Amino acid sequence: MDTETQNTDDTEKCTQLRCLDYMAEYRHCISAFHQFHQYYIHGKFATCKEPKERIKNCIKWKTFRSEEAKKRLLNSLTQEQKNMHTPDPIWTYRSSPPSDW
C-alpha cells in the first residue's frame, strides 16, 4: 500500500470518528460502577487518562485539522486493538471422545 492510499484511509477513519463516542467512553470510565469494578478486579481505580486524551485529540482534529492530533488518535486506537486479549481457553480441546465414554 503506498503512502498516499494509507493517508486517504487514515483520513477516512478520522472523518468517521465521533467525538461524542469518546465522551461516552470517558463518562463510562469515570462512572462509579466502572471504578468499583476496576478496583475489585485490579485492586486500583482506573485513571481514565486514555479516554480523556482521545477526546482532546478528536476535538483538535475536528476543529483545527491537526495532523499531530490525528496521528495520536489513530495510534491510541491501534494500540488499544493490539492490547485486546481474548482469554485462553479453560478447557483443552479434544478431537475425539475419551476411550471409556
Side-chain angles (χ1 to χ4, degrees), residues 2-101:
D2 61 348
T3 308
E4 185 177 320
T5 307
Q6 185 172 359
N7 287 341
T8 305
D9 291 344
D10 289 348
T11 304
E12 286 176 14
K13 282 181 191 175
C14 280
T15 55
Q16 294 173 359
L17 300 175
R18 295 182 46 209
C19 296
L20 289 176
D21 293 338
Y22 298 122
M23 288 180 191
E25 179 185 359
Y26 180 69
R27 222 171 75 206
H28 169 73
C29 185
I30 63 173
S31 71
F33 174 80
H34 180 74
Q35 289 293 327
F36 282 118
H37 179 73
Q38 290 297 309
Y39 187 76
Y40 179 77
I41 299 295
H42 302 290
K44 59 184 178 180
F45 293 112
T47 61
C48 302
K49 182 181 173 187
E50 274 301 312
K52 193 173 186 178
E53 287 298 316
R54 286 184 188 152
I55 292 170
K56 289 179 185 178
N57 289 325
C58 185
I59 291 172
K60 284 180 186 176
W61 164 246
K62 293 287 186 174
T63 55
F64 305 116
R65 294 292 183 203
S66 169
E67 289 297 318
E68 185 178 328
K70 178 179 103 171
K71 286 179 186 176
R72 278 188 266 151
L73 185 59
L74 289 174
N75 286 340
S76 172
L77 295 172
T78 305
Q79 192 65 30
E80 181 183 43
Q81 288 176 348
K82 286 181 183 177
N83 289 340
M84 286 186 181
H85 174 69
T86 53
D88 296 329
I90 296 172
W91 307 106
T92 55
Y93 295 107
R94 47 183 186 209
S95 56
S96 60
S99 59
D100 61 343
W101 200 40

